[in-house]
CSV table of all heavy atoms in Angstrom, one decimal:
chain,number,residue,atom,x,y,z
A,1,HIS,N,110.1,95.5,72.1
A,1,HIS,CA,110.0,96.7,71.3
A,1,HIS,C,109.7,96.4,69.8
A,1,HIS,O,109.4,97.4,69.1
A,1,HIS,CB,111.3,97.5,71.4
A,1,HIS,CG,111.5,98.1,72.8
A,1,HIS,ND1,112.0,97.5,73.8
A,1,HIS,CD2,111.2,99.4,73.2
A,1,HIS,CE1,112.1,98.3,74.9
A,1,HIS,NE2,111.6,99.5,74.5
A,2,LYS,N,109.9,95.2,69.4
A,2,LYS,CA,109.6,94.9,68.0
A,2,LYS,C,108.1,94.9,67.8
A,2,LYS,O,107.3,95.0,68.7
A,2,LYS,CB,110.1,93.5,67.7
A,2,LYS,CG,109.3,92.3,68.3
A,2,LYS,CD,109.9,91.0,67.8
A,2,LYS,CE,109.1,89.9,68.4
A,2,LYS,NZ,107.7,89.8,67.8
A,3,GLY,N,107.7,94.9,66.5
A,3,GLY,CA,106.3,94.9,66.2
A,3,GLY,C,105.6,93.5,66.5
A,3,GLY,O,106.3,92.5,66.5
A,4,ILE,N,104.3,93.5,66.7
A,4,ILE,CA,103.6,92.3,67.0
A,4,ILE,C,103.6,91.4,65.8
A,4,ILE,O,103.3,91.8,64.7
A,4,ILE,CB,102.1,92.7,67.4
A,4,ILE,CG1,102.1,93.5,68.7
A,4,ILE,CG2,101.3,91.4,67.6
A,4,ILE,CD1,100.8,94.0,69.0
A,5,GLY,N,103.9,90.1,66.0
A,5,GLY,CA,103.9,89.1,65.0
A,5,GLY,C,105.1,89.3,64.0
A,5,GLY,O,105.1,88.6,63.0
A,6,CYS,N,106.1,90.0,64.4
A,6,CYS,CA,107.3,90.2,63.6
A,6,CYS,C,108.3,89.2,63.9
A,6,CYS,O,108.7,89.0,65.1
A,6,CYS,CB,107.8,91.6,63.8
A,6,CYS,SG,109.1,92.1,62.7
A,7,TYR,N,108.8,88.5,62.9
A,7,TYR,CA,109.8,87.4,63.1
A,7,TYR,C,111.1,88.0,63.4
A,7,TYR,O,111.5,89.0,62.8
A,7,TYR,CB,109.9,86.6,61.8
A,7,TYR,CG,110.9,85.5,61.9
A,7,TYR,CD1,110.7,84.3,62.6
A,7,TYR,CD2,112.1,85.7,61.2
A,7,TYR,CE1,111.7,83.3,62.6
A,7,TYR,CE2,113.1,84.7,61.2
A,7,TYR,CZ,112.9,83.5,61.9
A,7,TYR,OH,113.9,82.6,62.0
A,8,THR,N,111.8,87.5,64.4
A,8,THR,CA,113.2,88.0,64.7
A,8,THR,C,114.2,87.1,63.9
A,8,THR,O,114.2,85.9,64.0
A,8,THR,CB,113.5,87.9,66.2
A,8,THR,OG1,113.2,86.6,66.7
A,8,THR,CG2,112.5,88.9,66.9
A,9,ASN,N,115.1,87.7,63.3
A,9,ASN,CA,116.1,87.0,62.4
A,9,ASN,C,117.5,87.1,63.0
A,9,ASN,O,117.9,88.2,63.4
A,9,ASN,CB,116.0,87.6,61.0
A,9,ASN,CG,117.1,87.0,60.1
A,9,ASN,OD1,117.2,85.8,60.0
A,9,ASN,ND2,117.8,87.8,59.3
A,10,GLY,N,118.2,86.0,62.9
A,10,GLY,CA,119.6,86.1,63.4
A,10,GLY,C,120.1,84.7,63.7
A,10,GLY,O,119.4,83.7,63.7
A,11,THR,N,121.4,84.6,64.0
A,11,THR,CA,122.1,83.3,64.3
A,11,THR,C,122.2,83.0,65.8
A,11,THR,O,122.5,81.9,66.2
A,11,THR,CB,123.5,83.3,63.7
A,11,THR,OG1,124.2,84.4,64.1
A,11,THR,CG2,123.3,83.3,62.2
A,12,THR,N,122.0,84.1,66.6
A,12,THR,CA,122.0,83.9,68.1
A,12,THR,C,120.6,83.8,68.6
A,12,THR,O,119.8,84.7,68.3
A,12,THR,CB,122.7,85.1,68.8
A,12,THR,OG1,124.1,85.1,68.4
A,12,THR,CG2,122.7,84.9,70.3
A,13,GLU,N,120.2,82.7,69.2
A,13,GLU,CA,118.8,82.5,69.7
A,13,GLU,C,118.8,82.4,71.2
A,13,GLU,O,119.5,81.7,71.8
A,13,GLU,CB,118.3,81.2,69.0
A,13,GLU,CG,116.8,81.0,69.4
A,13,GLU,CD,116.2,79.7,68.7
A,13,GLU,OE1,115.9,79.9,67.5
A,13,GLU,OE2,116.1,78.7,69.3
A,14,VAL,N,117.9,83.2,71.8
A,14,VAL,CA,117.7,83.2,73.2
A,14,VAL,C,116.2,83.0,73.5
A,14,VAL,O,115.3,83.6,72.9
A,14,VAL,CB,118.2,84.6,73.8
A,14,VAL,CG1,117.9,84.6,75.3
A,14,VAL,CG2,119.6,84.8,73.5
A,15,THR,N,116.0,82.2,74.5
A,15,THR,CA,114.6,81.9,75.0
A,15,THR,C,114.2,82.9,76.1
A,15,THR,O,114.9,83.0,77.1
A,15,THR,CB,114.4,80.5,75.5
A,15,THR,OG1,114.7,79.6,74.4
A,15,THR,CG2,113.0,80.2,75.9
A,16,VAL,N,113.1,83.7,75.9
A,16,VAL,CA,112.7,84.7,76.8
A,16,VAL,C,111.3,84.3,77.3
A,16,VAL,O,110.4,84.1,76.4
A,16,VAL,CB,112.7,86.1,76.2
A,16,VAL,CG1,112.2,87.1,77.2
A,16,VAL,CG2,114.1,86.4,75.7
A,17,THR,N,111.1,84.2,78.6
A,17,THR,CA,109.7,84.0,79.1
A,17,THR,C,109.1,85.3,79.5
A,17,THR,O,109.7,86.0,80.4
A,17,THR,CB,109.8,83.0,80.3
A,17,THR,OG1,110.4,81.8,79.9
A,17,THR,CG2,108.4,82.7,80.9
A,18,ASP,N,108.0,85.7,78.9
A,18,ASP,CA,107.4,87.0,79.2
A,18,ASP,C,106.6,87.0,80.5
A,18,ASP,O,106.5,86.0,81.2
A,18,ASP,CB,106.6,87.5,78.1
A,18,ASP,CG,105.4,86.6,77.7
A,18,ASP,OD1,105.0,85.9,78.6
A,18,ASP,OD2,105.0,86.7,76.5
A,19,GLN,N,106.0,88.1,80.8
A,19,GLN,CA,105.2,88.2,82.1
A,19,GLN,C,104.0,87.3,82.1
A,19,GLN,O,103.4,87.1,83.2
A,19,GLN,CB,104.8,89.7,82.3
A,19,GLN,CG,103.9,90.3,81.2
A,19,GLN,CD,104.7,91.0,80.2
A,19,GLN,OE1,105.8,90.6,79.8
A,19,GLN,NE2,104.2,92.1,79.6
A,20,ASN,N,103.6,86.8,81.0
A,20,ASN,CA,102.5,85.9,80.9
A,20,ASN,C,102.9,84.4,80.8
A,20,ASN,O,102.1,83.5,80.5
A,20,ASN,CB,101.6,86.2,79.7
A,20,ASN,CG,101.0,87.6,79.8
A,20,ASN,OD1,100.5,88.0,80.8
A,20,ASN,ND2,101.0,88.3,78.7
A,21,ASP,N,104.2,84.2,81.2
A,21,ASP,CA,104.8,82.9,81.1
A,21,ASP,C,104.8,82.2,79.7
A,21,ASP,O,104.9,81.0,79.6
A,21,ASP,CB,104.1,81.9,82.1
A,21,ASP,CG,104.3,82.3,83.6
A,21,ASP,OD1,105.4,82.9,83.9
A,21,ASP,OD2,103.4,82.1,84.4
A,22,TYR,N,104.7,83.1,78.7
A,22,TYR,CA,104.8,82.6,77.4
A,22,TYR,C,106.3,82.5,76.9
A,22,TYR,O,107.0,83.5,77.1
A,22,TYR,CB,104.0,83.4,76.4
A,22,TYR,CG,103.9,82.9,75.0
A,22,TYR,CD1,103.0,81.9,74.6
A,22,TYR,CD2,104.8,83.4,74.0
A,22,TYR,CE1,103.0,81.4,73.4
A,22,TYR,CE2,104.7,82.9,72.7
A,22,TYR,CZ,103.9,81.9,72.4
A,22,TYR,OH,103.8,81.4,71.1
A,23,VAL,N,106.7,81.4,76.4
A,23,VAL,CA,108.1,81.2,76.0
A,23,VAL,C,108.3,81.7,74.6
A,23,VAL,O,107.6,81.3,73.6
A,23,VAL,CB,108.5,79.8,76.1
A,23,VAL,CG1,110.0,79.6,75.6
A,23,VAL,CG2,108.4,79.3,77.5
A,24,ASN,N,109.2,82.7,74.4
A,24,ASN,CA,109.5,83.3,73.1
A,24,ASN,C,110.9,83.0,72.7
A,24,ASN,O,111.8,83.1,73.5
A,24,ASN,CB,109.3,84.8,73.1
A,24,ASN,CG,107.9,85.2,73.6
A,24,ASN,OD1,107.0,85.4,72.8
A,24,ASN,ND2,107.7,85.3,74.9
A,25,LYS,N,111.1,82.7,71.4
A,25,LYS,CA,112.4,82.5,70.9
A,25,LYS,C,112.8,83.8,70.1
A,25,LYS,O,112.1,84.2,69.2
A,25,LYS,CB,112.5,81.3,69.9
A,25,LYS,CG,112.4,80.0,70.7
A,25,LYS,CD,112.6,78.8,69.7
A,25,LYS,CE,112.5,77.5,70.5
A,25,LYS,NZ,112.7,76.3,69.6
A,26,VAL,N,113.8,84.4,70.6
A,26,VAL,CA,114.3,85.7,70.0
A,26,VAL,C,115.6,85.5,69.4
A,26,VAL,O,116.6,85.0,70.0
A,26,VAL,CB,114.4,86.8,71.1
A,26,VAL,CG1,114.8,88.1,70.4
A,26,VAL,CG2,113.0,87.0,71.7
A,27,ARG,N,115.7,85.9,68.1
A,27,ARG,CA,117.0,85.7,67.4
A,27,ARG,C,117.6,87.1,67.0
A,27,ARG,O,116.8,88.0,66.7
A,27,ARG,CB,116.7,84.9,66.1
A,27,ARG,CG,116.4,83.4,66.4
A,27,ARG,CD,115.6,82.8,65.2
A,27,ARG,NE,114.3,83.4,65.1
A,27,ARG,CZ,113.2,82.9,65.8
A,27,ARG,NH1,113.4,81.8,66.6
A,27,ARG,NH2,112.0,83.4,65.7
A,28,PHE,N,118.9,87.2,67.0
A,28,PHE,CA,119.6,88.4,66.6
A,28,PHE,C,121.0,88.0,66.2
A,28,PHE,O,121.5,86.8,66.4
A,28,PHE,CB,119.7,89.4,67.7
A,28,PHE,CG,120.3,89.0,69.0
A,28,PHE,CD1,121.6,89.2,69.2
A,28,PHE,CD2,119.5,88.4,70.0
A,28,PHE,CE1,122.2,88.7,70.4
A,28,PHE,CE2,120.1,87.9,71.2
A,28,PHE,CZ,121.4,88.1,71.4
A,29,TYR,N,121.8,88.9,65.6
A,29,TYR,CA,123.1,88.7,65.1
A,29,TYR,C,124.1,89.3,66.1
A,29,TYR,O,123.8,90.4,66.6
A,29,TYR,CB,123.4,89.2,63.7
A,29,TYR,CG,122.8,88.4,62.6
A,29,TYR,CD1,121.6,88.8,62.0
A,29,TYR,CD2,123.5,87.3,62.1
A,29,TYR,CE1,121.1,88.0,61.0
A,29,TYR,CE2,123.0,86.6,61.0
A,29,TYR,CZ,121.8,86.9,60.5
A,29,TYR,OH,121.3,86.2,59.4
A,30,ARG,N,125.3,88.7,66.2
A,30,ARG,CA,126.4,89.4,66.7
A,30,ARG,C,127.3,89.7,65.5
A,30,ARG,O,127.4,88.9,64.6
A,30,ARG,CB,127.2,88.5,67.7
A,30,ARG,CG,126.5,88.2,69.0
A,30,ARG,CD,126.3,89.4,69.8
A,30,ARG,NE,125.9,89.1,71.2
A,30,ARG,CZ,125.5,90.0,72.0
A,30,ARG,NH1,125.6,91.3,71.7
A,30,ARG,NH2,125.2,89.7,73.3
A,31,PRO,N,127.9,90.9,65.5
A,31,PRO,CA,128.6,91.3,64.3
A,31,PRO,C,129.8,90.4,64.0
A,31,PRO,O,130.5,90.0,64.9
A,31,PRO,CB,129.0,92.8,64.6
A,31,PRO,CG,129.1,92.8,66.0
A,31,PRO,CD,128.0,91.9,66.5
A,32,THR,N,130.1,90.2,62.7
A,32,THR,CA,131.3,89.6,62.3
A,32,THR,C,132.3,90.6,62.0
A,32,THR,O,132.1,91.6,61.3
A,32,THR,CB,131.0,88.8,61.0
A,32,THR,OG1,130.0,87.8,61.3
A,32,THR,CG2,132.3,88.1,60.5
A,33,TYR,N,133.5,90.5,62.6
A,33,TYR,CA,134.6,91.5,62.4
A,33,TYR,C,135.4,91.2,61.2
A,33,TYR,O,135.9,90.1,61.0
A,33,TYR,CB,135.5,91.5,63.6
A,33,TYR,CG,134.7,91.9,64.9
A,33,TYR,CD1,134.2,91.0,65.7
A,33,TYR,CD2,134.6,93.3,65.2
A,33,TYR,CE1,133.5,91.4,66.9
A,33,TYR,CE2,133.9,93.7,66.3
A,33,TYR,CZ,133.4,92.7,67.2
A,33,TYR,OH,132.7,93.1,68.3
A,34,VAL,N,135.5,92.2,60.3
A,34,VAL,CA,136.3,92.1,59.1
A,34,VAL,C,137.5,93.0,59.1
A,34,VAL,O,137.3,94.2,59.2
A,34,VAL,CB,135.4,92.4,57.9
A,34,VAL,CG1,136.2,92.3,56.6
A,34,VAL,CG2,134.1,91.6,57.8
A,35,ASP,N,138.7,92.4,59.1
A,35,ASP,CA,139.9,93.2,59.1
A,35,ASP,C,139.9,94.1,57.8
A,35,ASP,O,139.6,93.6,56.7
A,35,ASP,CB,141.1,92.3,59.1
A,35,ASP,CG,141.4,91.8,60.5
A,35,ASP,OD1,140.8,92.4,61.5
A,35,ASP,OD2,142.2,90.9,60.7
A,36,VAL,N,140.3,95.3,57.9
A,36,VAL,CA,140.4,96.2,56.8
A,36,VAL,C,141.9,96.4,56.5
A,36,VAL,O,142.6,96.9,57.4
A,36,VAL,CB,139.8,97.6,57.1
A,36,VAL,CG1,139.9,98.5,55.9
A,36,VAL,CG2,138.3,97.4,57.4
A,37,HIS,N,142.3,96.0,55.3
A,37,HIS,CA,143.7,96.2,54.9
A,37,HIS,C,143.8,97.5,54.1
A,37,HIS,O,143.1,97.7,53.1
A,37,HIS,CB,144.2,95.0,54.1
A,37,HIS,CG,144.3,93.7,54.9
A,37,HIS,ND1,145.6,93.2,55.3
A,37,HIS,CD2,143.4,92.9,55.4
A,37,HIS,CE1,145.4,92.1,56.0
A,37,HIS,NE2,144.1,91.9,56.0
A,38,VAL,N,144.7,98.3,54.5
A,38,VAL,CA,144.9,99.6,53.9
A,38,VAL,C,146.3,99.8,53.4
A,38,VAL,O,147.2,99.6,54.2
A,38,VAL,CB,144.5,100.8,54.8
A,38,VAL,CG1,144.7,102.1,54.1
A,38,VAL,CG2,143.1,100.7,55.3
A,39,HIS,N,146.5,100.1,52.1
A,39,HIS,CA,147.8,100.4,51.6
A,39,HIS,C,147.8,101.8,51.1
A,39,HIS,O,147.1,102.2,50.2
A,39,HIS,CB,148.2,99.4,50.4
A,39,HIS,CG,149.5,99.7,49.8
A,39,HIS,ND1,150.7,99.3,50.3
A,39,HIS,CD2,149.8,100.5,48.7
A,39,HIS,CE1,151.7,99.7,49.5
A,39,HIS,NE2,151.1,100.4,48.6
A,40,LEU,N,148.7,102.6,51.7
A,40,LEU,CA,148.7,104.0,51.4
A,40,LEU,C,150.1,104.4,51.0
A,40,LEU,O,151.1,104.1,51.7
A,40,LEU,CB,148.3,104.9,52.6
A,40,LEU,CG,148.5,106.4,52.5
A,40,LEU,CD1,147.6,107.0,51.4
A,40,LEU,CD2,148.2,107.1,53.8
A,41,LYS,N,150.3,105.1,49.9
A,41,LYS,CA,151.5,105.6,49.5
A,41,LYS,C,151.4,107.1,49.4
A,41,LYS,O,150.5,107.7,48.7
A,41,LYS,CB,152.0,105.1,48.1
A,41,LYS,CG,153.4,105.5,47.7
A,41,LYS,CD,153.8,104.8,46.4
A,41,LYS,CE,155.3,105.2,46.0
A,41,LYS,NZ,155.7,104.5,44.8
A,42,ILE,N,152.2,107.8,50.1
A,42,ILE,CA,152.1,109.3,50.2
A,42,ILE,C,153.3,109.9,49.4
A,42,ILE,O,154.3,109.4,49.2
A,42,ILE,CB,152.1,109.8,51.6
A,42,ILE,CG1,153.3,109.4,52.4
A,42,ILE,CG2,150.9,109.3,52.4
A,42,ILE,CD1,153.4,109.9,53.8
A,43,LYS,N,153.0,111.2,49.0
A,43,LYS,CA,154.0,112.0,48.3
A,43,LYS,C,154.4,113.1,49.2
A,43,LYS,O,153.6,113.9,49.6
A,43,LYS,CB,153.4,112.5,47.0
A,43,LYS,CG,154.4,113.3,46.1
A,43,LYS,CD,153.8,113.7,44.8
A,43,LYS,CE,154.8,114.4,43.9
A,43,LYS,NZ,154.1,114.9,42.6
A,44,LYS,N,155.7,113.2,49.4
A,44,LYS,CA,156.3,114.2,50.3
A,44,LYS,C,156.3,115.6,49.6
A,44,LYS,O,156.7,115.7,48.5
A,44,LYS,CB,157.7,113.8,50.8
A,44,LYS,CG,157.7,112.6,51.6
A,44,LYS,CD,159.0,112.3,52.3
A,44,LYS,CE,160.1,112.1,51.3
A,44,LYS,NZ,161.4,111.8,51.9
């Protein structure tokens, strides 16, 4: 689905062989989870 000649960027690399037996290296990211610390003080 990407554009022709468009480089795929990422830290996860997978080798995909297309219908013409051409080997393609496809890269993408898995998300990094960042804990969110929330401090809330409420007024009654």
Side-chain angles (χ1 to χ4, degrees):
H1 290 84
K2 73 177 183 68
I4 297 174
C6 189
Y7 176 79
T8 56
N9 176 44
T11 54
T12 299
E13 183 176 283
V14 178
T15 299
V16 179
T17 303
D18 62 23
Q19 60 267 35
N20 297 317
D21 293 328
Y22 185 80
V23 178
N24 304 268
K25 290 184 177 180
V26 180
R27 290 157 291 271
F28 57 92
Y29 283 99
R30 291 299 192 181
T32 299
Y33 297 93
V34 179
D35 282 346
V36 180
H37 291 255
V38 180
H39 176 83
L40 170 66
K41 187 174 182 180
I42 59 178
K43 184 177 181 180
K44 296 189 295 184

